[in-house]
Amino acid sequence: MPDVYGQGGIYLPIGLLAALATSSLRLWFYGVRPIYGATRFLHLAGMAGFLGLLLLIEVRRLGFFPKSSMDLMRRPVFVLMNTAFVVTVLTGVALFLYDPIGVGLHTMFLPKLILIVAGIVHAYWIERLPVMNRPQWRRGSALAALAIWLTVIGFSTWNAVERPLNPADIHRAEPHR
Ligand code: HEM
């Protein structure tokens, strides 16, 4: 039953998705299209801010622009990046709650969540290991961070464009996307 897109894959438990889909918060939220639109806008705006600032940091950790100092900008860059990330995650959770079954059955939804957890573990633990002072390790870690977050965006795009295999499941897809 969960594999409505015919791609196989892993999913959140269908019982959990069904319980969320029938909660009173979701039933209220589902009818309010402007809030959904604003949430989606904020999700994309947060993602754009996060990706831009991440690129700035990781491209320098890769060794590009060695003469450009980040010393004065380090704090604003990190504060803005973390704020953009929190906005993206909170609005992502809201988008999920808007349509738990439709979203949760997307082929790359659970893989996206797993990769986000991997990205957070990488940022807050792996990147802070003492070995990251070595240039080769630092470059490898910067490449890993870029790969993780670009794949998260790739998985999101996959989820947004895929359509159910069986037309009987078409109600799971947003008709206007
Ligand atoms: C707990 C965290 C997150 C959740 C629950 C979440 C959930 C969602 C949902 C439900 C959508 C609508 C598409 C769909 O039906 O799947 C979406 C779209 C999107 N998300 Fe997330 N998201 C999260 C975090 C992120 C992060 C961290 C990024 C990027 C760094 C991201 C990037 C995107 C992009 C680019 C789209 C738009 C795809 C398109 O319209 O082409 N999301 N997200």
Side-chain angles (χ1 to χ4, degrees), residues 36 40 43-44 46-48 50-51 85 88-97 99 102-104 106 109 112-113 116 149-150 152-161 174 177:
Y36 172 69
R40 198 154 181 170
H43 193 61
L44 289 177
M47 181 276 301
F50 171 69
L51 181 68
F85 184 74
T88 309
V89 169
L90 291 180
T91 51
V93 171
L95 288 174
F96 169 58
L97 292 177
D99 188 6
V103 168
H106 277 148
F109 184 68
K112 169 178 169 172
L113 295 189
I116 289 172
W149 294 112
L150 287 175
V152 167
I153 295 172
F155 281 179
S156 309
T157 311
W158 177 316
N159 290 334
V161 302
E174 286 288 331
R177 281 191 296 192

Side-chain angles (χ1 to χ4, degrees), residues 104-172:
L105 295 187
H106 277 148
T107 312
M108 293 303 173
F109 184 68
L110 188 52
K112 169 178 169 172
L113 295 189
I114 293 170
L115 216 47
I116 289 172
V117 172
I120 293 172
V121 170
H122 180 262
Y124 282 93
W125 186 59
I126 297 177
E127 280 189 355
R128 293 175 187 198
L129 293 174
V131 75
M132 292 304 163
N133 290 326
R134 296 189 201 160
Q136 276 167 333
W137 281 81
R138 195 167 50 235
R139 277 198 287 274
S141 160
L143 271 181
L146 286 174
I148 289 173
W149 294 112
L150 287 175
T151 308
V152 167
I153 295 172
F155 281 179
S156 309
T157 311
W158 177 316
N159 290 334
V161 302
E162 72 179 351
R163 289 293 174 261
L165 197 61
N166 180 354
D169 289 321
I170 201 71
H171 64 281
R172 297 187 202 289

